[in-house]
Amino acid sequence: MRTNATYRIGLAVAAGAIIAGCANSADSTASAPTPASPAPSITLSPPPDHPLPTVTLTEKPPKEPTDNLPSTGWVAGTVTIGGKGPCYGLLADDGQRYALYGTGGTELTKGDRVKVKLESTPLRIYCGPGTLMAMTDSEPVQ
């Protein structure tokens, strides 16, 4: 029984909306002035200072991956987020920023130069800005 009532209410609302829309459009067309000149044409080309991007097609697919993953192994840099862990921050000498996750309880001091051993990690946690990597070992750099 409830579905019949809901169906009827829906039909009544739809019919009311259609009738109200027709009444409004009839009033608006009767009172709207007709244009004296034709409507201006619309150009869909981009402005000259913002050209459309182009796609470069290659004959063959690349042989090596083009989405370069962060390197693993030893990386030297400056600690940007220190503490006893488990999250650290590192700005590598090549300019790459890393968000490091390490469970070893290593204490790193912000501003110190260190060499850390990195591995990729399946974890998806936030340890600060940068590429998330697992830190398995660290050594101070003199």
Side-chain angles (χ1 to χ4, degrees), residues 37-43:
S37 62
S41 63
I42 298 174
T43 305

Side-chain angles (χ1 to χ4, degrees), residues 21-90:
C22 290
N24 286 341
S25 66
D27 292 341
S28 64
T29 56
S31 61
T34 57
S37 62
S41 63
I42 298 174
T43 305
L44 297 177
S45 61
D49 56 341
H50 296 305
L52 291 175
T54 58
V55 177
T56 304
L57 299 176
T58 59
E59 292 181 19
K60 297 179 183 177
K63 292 184 179 183
E64 295 187 19
T66 57
D67 54 345
N68 297 326
L69 298 174
S71 63
T72 58
W74 289 94
V75 175
T78 305
V79 177
T80 58
I81 301 172
K84 292 185 181 182
C87 289
Y88 309 94
L90 181 80

Side-chain angles (χ1 to χ4, degrees), residues 3 7-9 18 32 72 101 112 122 124-125 129:
T3 56
Y7 179 72
R8 288 180 186 163
I9 291 172
I18 291 171
T72 58
Y101 178 79
D112 283 357
R124 294 293 168 230
I125 60 173

Side-chain angles (χ1 to χ4, degrees), residues 1 10 27 36 43 46 54 58 60 67-68 78 84 86 89 103 105-106 109 115-116 120 123 125 131 133 135-136:
M1 293 299 272
D27 292 341
T43 305
T54 58
T58 59
K60 297 179 183 177
D67 54 345
N68 297 326
T78 305
K84 292 185 181 182
T103 58
T106 306
T109 305
K115 182 169 76 169
V116 296
S120 59
L123 294 177
I125 60 173
T131 305
M133 298 292 285
M135 180 180 73
T136 57

